Amino acid sequence: MKKERWIPLAVIAVFLLVWQLGWQFEWVPRYMLPSPVMVVQAFVSDFPLLMTHAGVTMLEAFIGLAAGVLLGFMCAAMMDTFPKVRAGLYPILVLTQTIPPVAIAPLLILWFSYGMTPKIILVVLVAFFPMAVGLMEGFQAADADMIRMMRSMKASRWQIFWYVKFPNALGEFYSGLRIAVAYSIVGAVIAEWLGGFNGLGVYMTRVKKSLAYDKMFAVIFLVSAISLVLMGLVRMLQKKTMPWNYLKDTEEYKRRTRNEEF
Amino acid sequence: MRELLKAEHIAKSYSDKQVLKDISVTLNEGEIVSLLGVSGVGKTTLFNVLSGLVMPDSGTVTLEGEDITGKAGYLSYMLQKDLLLPHKKVIDNVALPLLLSGVRKKEARERASSLFEQFGLSGTEYKYPAQLSGGMRQRAAFLRTYLCGKEVVLLDEPFGALDTITRSSMHEWYLKIMDEIRLSTILITHDIDEAVLLSDRIYIMRGSPALITDEIVITENKPRSPEFVLSEEFLRYKKQIKELLR
């Protein structure tokens, strides 16, 4: 695996090189496409401003994400415990996913004005779904025999949830969280486009109006970098909290599977 | 001998299919009794009834005279799958019944760890189940069952998922440990050799809906040596059972 890491890096390097050459030889009019070097320069010169805006966007995304995850968790637990709630709610949840967030954002801004509230609400909405569905499926997929065994030990409903269902859903939880993290940054940016005072989306609309292509590219890369870092953090968190899930990578596991001992 | 568990005239149907019809079994203190029958004859259904997870249509289950029909938590129950929680270290898996009943983690771990050696699990306390071999996982599951602290243990094909060599070492281990802890056990199996080797008595379950058609007493003294399987005595029992199952 590790040996092949250089391949995507090489692809990126080639891409940047072609881009720079394209700018050098004016394959595209210069005012439309800045060079990678110019994008970096724009990023450096606007760095303090970008960081202020990024701070606002990330704050919105985090608050929304936390609320979305919490709501998603509660909703999933309810749907798992009460089949009637699941029957009533699940199809509606899936249905609401056909509504694009971009379509609700203007409405939210009309309702809640230009502050952080509409952005946070949009993030809650986009983060909620992957969490609720992922977690519920994780709860449902718990081994029926495991639950039977717990019941034969007189475990309470809560104990079965805590010892069997919740750990069983942790994998789905993190998959859902990775998606939700990416969605939440994008969601916050989209809501900011449509009106606001601070945030990367606001910055985007401003540099668009002044046709500052270099700054537009800089902010695009920044948004993608933030998402990447956050997704990486989620992965690290998963490795930390689910050590048993990564046993296959350890030397001991390999040794044991090679030479099964009684 | 004290009569511990008694099931009388158990019948059970699922939708329109009758699975069990008038089944009666008893288990005395310190005995190992096998339920022997082909797969799908209803052995597991009977276990679900005995353990109280499923309510029979008719019949009663009593433990030392007390009616426990349809009440879970009176007997320990162990299945073919080890059903260890993958996210818990072996010691916490084993101590699970203690933790569930409200014993504090430290005390539960202490009580569990004192038995690790006897169950051939030394050094595995702080590993995860995935790091153990199949036989070790099954022994851990067995220790967990033992720590349920119930007088009667139901074992549903506990050695069924193991390969032949591991299974016969597990049989040896099991004979030894049962001599030490003397649990009263009902064992489900479809393996005739296993039934003869381990049991004091064997109930033969046959038919659809299932009935107990025969009861065989294995008189071989305990503790039994693994060499018992090579004796003529053993072969005689095996032949007798094969004929009964025909």
Side-chain angles (χ1 to χ4, degrees):
Chain A
M1 253 297 266
K2 281 229 164 106
K3 276 182 191 158
E4 282 162 9
R5 278 251 175 95
W6 65 273
I7 297 179
L9 289 176
V11 172
I12 292 170
V14 169
F15 173 78
L16 287 173
L17 190 70
V18 172
W19 181 3
Q20 181 70 34
L21 286 174
W23 182 82
Q24 217 87 47
F25 296 109
E26 283 195 65
W27 295 341
V28 179
R30 284 213 170 155
Y31 68 88
M32 280 177 73
L33 184 73
S35 76
V37 176
M38 288 164 74
V39 172
V40 173
Q41 280 166 350
F43 183 78
V44 172
S45 71
D46 256 11
F47 186 74
L49 189 61
L50 276 169
M51 286 304 111
T52 324
H53 284 305
V56 174
T57 303
M58 279 166 72
L59 185 63
E60 290 160 359
F62 279 138
I63 298 174
L65 186 64
V69 169
L70 201 69
L71 278 174
F73 183 87
M74 292 195 307
C75 189
M78 292 281 284
M79 286 196 292
D80 177 66
T81 318
F82 306 107
K84 287 221 169 90
V85 174
R86 178 166 69 250
L89 218 55
Y90 191 67
I92 296 171
L93 268 184
V94 175
L95 211 65
T96 56
Q97 285 315 292
T98 55
I99 306 170
V102 202
I104 331 172
L107 198 60
L108 291 174
I109 290 188
L110 288 178
W111 281 341
F112 300 103
S113 170
Y114 290 104
M116 282 172 95
T117 321
K119 284 94 181 171
I120 293 172
I121 293 175
L122 191 73
V123 173
V124 172
L125 292 178
V126 295
F128 167 77
F129 180 77
M131 294 315 301
V133 171
L135 277 171
M136 192 201 73
E137 279 166 7
F139 294 153
Q140 296 271 301
D143 190 336
D145 283 334
M146 203 80 103
I147 292 169
R148 205 153 61 110
M149 183 265 305
M150 292 287 285
R151 280 179 54 208
S152 81
M153 290 183 190
K154 265 198 151 159
S156 66
R157 220 172 215 210
W158 163 247
Q159 284 172 325
I160 290 175
F161 182 82
W162 181 244
Y163 280 97
V164 181
K165 293 199 159 193
F166 179 64
N168 191 65
L170 264 183
E172 330 277 341
F173 172 79
Y174 282 110
S175 311
L177 189 60
R178 263 197 297 281
I179 299 171
V181 161
Y183 278 12
S184 62
I185 295 286
V186 173
V189 168
I190 288 175
E192 286 162 359
W193 277 351
L194 299 165
F197 309 111
N198 284 300
L200 290 174
V202 175
Y203 177 89
M204 273 184 191
T205 53
R206 283 183 193 157
V207 296
K208 187 192 111 198
K209 277 180 197 141
S210 58
L211 297 177
Y213 287 97
D214 50 349
K215 291 181 181 177
M216 284 169 73
F217 273 98
V219 70
I220 290 170
F221 285 128
L222 179 60
V223 168
S224 124
I226 291 174
S227 295
L228 269 179
V229 168
L230 291 179
M231 282 162 80
L233 280 177
V234 172
R235 191 169 286 279
M236 265 170 56
L237 194 67
Q238 182 173 17
K239 275 204 170 181
K240 263 259 169 319
T241 53
M242 298 177 71
W244 66 91
N245 207 30
Y246 298 91
L247 292 172
K248 286 187 179 65
D249 305 336
T250 63
E251 268 313 299
E252 192 187 354
Y253 184 88
K254 285 179 197 152
R255 201 170 55 242
R256 194 187 61 67
T257 41
R258 266 204 302 274
N259 187 12
E260 182 105 346
E261 73 229 47
F262 165 61
Chain B
M1 255 191 306
R2 192 158 65 101
E3 199 174 76
L4 272 182
L5 185 73
K6 191 170 186 135
E8 287 172 296
H9 311 299
I10 300 289
K12 178 71 194 170
S13 306
Y14 284 113
S15 49
D16 3 301
K17 194 177 180 298
Q18 194 174 20
V19 185
L20 304 175
K21 181 186 162 190
D22 195 26
I23 298 245
S24 299
V25 294
T26 55
L27 175 70
N28 300 314
E29 193 177 3
E31 251 187 337
I32 304 178
V33 172
S34 286
L35 285 170
L36 183 65
V38 294
S39 305
V41 77
K43 301 185 295 269
T44 299
T45 305
L46 178 59
F47 258 28
N48 281 335
V49 169
L50 292 180
S51 64
L53 294 177
V54 163
M55 192 73 192
D57 300 335
S58 62
T60 54
V61 183
T62 53
L63 180 66
E64 293 182 276
E66 187 190 348
D67 189 348
I68 57 160
T69 319
K71 292 183 196 160
Y74 284 88
L75 317 176
S76 319
Y77 193 170
M78 175 176 158
L79 288 93
Q80 177 177 14
K81 288 193 271 177
D82 55 67
L83 295 176
L84 298 170
L85 301 168
H87 61 282
K88 290 268 180 210
K89 301 211 168 80
V90 175
I91 189 154
D92 296 324
N93 259 299
V94 162
L96 184 66
L98 303 174
L99 295 169
L100 289 179
S101 65
V103 177
R104 274 183 301 119
K105 189 164 179 170
K106 188 164 170 281
E107 197 198 325
R109 278 184 165 184
E110 272 165 19
R111 274 166 64 184
S113 70
S114 65
L115 290 159
F116 265 64
E117 204 188 326
Q118 192 177 16
F119 279 73
L121 291 165
S122 306
T124 64
E125 286 88 338
Y126 293 94
K127 289 185 176 175
Y128 286 105
Q131 292 168 296
L132 267 54
S133 66
M136 279 180 150
R137 277 204 297 273
Q138 209 58 23
R139 274 177 289 169
F142 191 74
L143 175 51
R144 177 183 63 193
T145 312
Y146 176 59
L147 278 173
C148 289
K150 305 289 187 282
E151 260 188 291
V152 175
V153 176
L154 305 178
L155 304 178
D156 190 347
E157 299 199 17
F159 312 116
L162 305 169
D163 61 86
T164 337
I165 296 165
T166 310
R167 181 156 57 216
S168 70
S169 5
M170 280 294 279
H171 285 157
E172 244 170 81
W173 170 80
Y174 187 74
L175 285 172
K176 190 174 134 277
I177 194 105
M178 282 314 263
D179 189 48
E180 290 163 16
I181 61 181
R182 293 192 189 282
L183 276 178
S184 316
T185 309
I186 303 186
L187 172 80
I188 282 185
T189 181
H190 56 239
D191 180 340
I192 298 176
D193 289 32
E194 182 171 289
V196 176
L197 174 63
L198 302 178
S199 320
D200 297 297
R201 281 184 296 129
I202 301 174
Y203 287 113
I204 306 234
M205 242 173 119
R206 289 182 68 189
S208 175
L211 282 167
I212 303 280
T213 53
D214 297 280
E215 184 186 336
I216 295 151
V217 180
I218 310 287
T219 49
E220 174 81 8
N221 281 338
K222 290 217 251 181
R224 284 175 196 161
S225 90
E227 272 73 58
F228 175 45
V229 293
L230 305 170
S231 65
E232 268 177 47
E233 191 80 9
F234 187 89
L235 273 180
R236 225 181 353 262
Y237 283 124
K238 203 170 158 179
K239 213 167 151 189
Q240 184 190 358
I241 292 169
K242 280 210 158 154
E243 265 156 29
L244 289 172
L245 280 171
R246 192 161 292 148

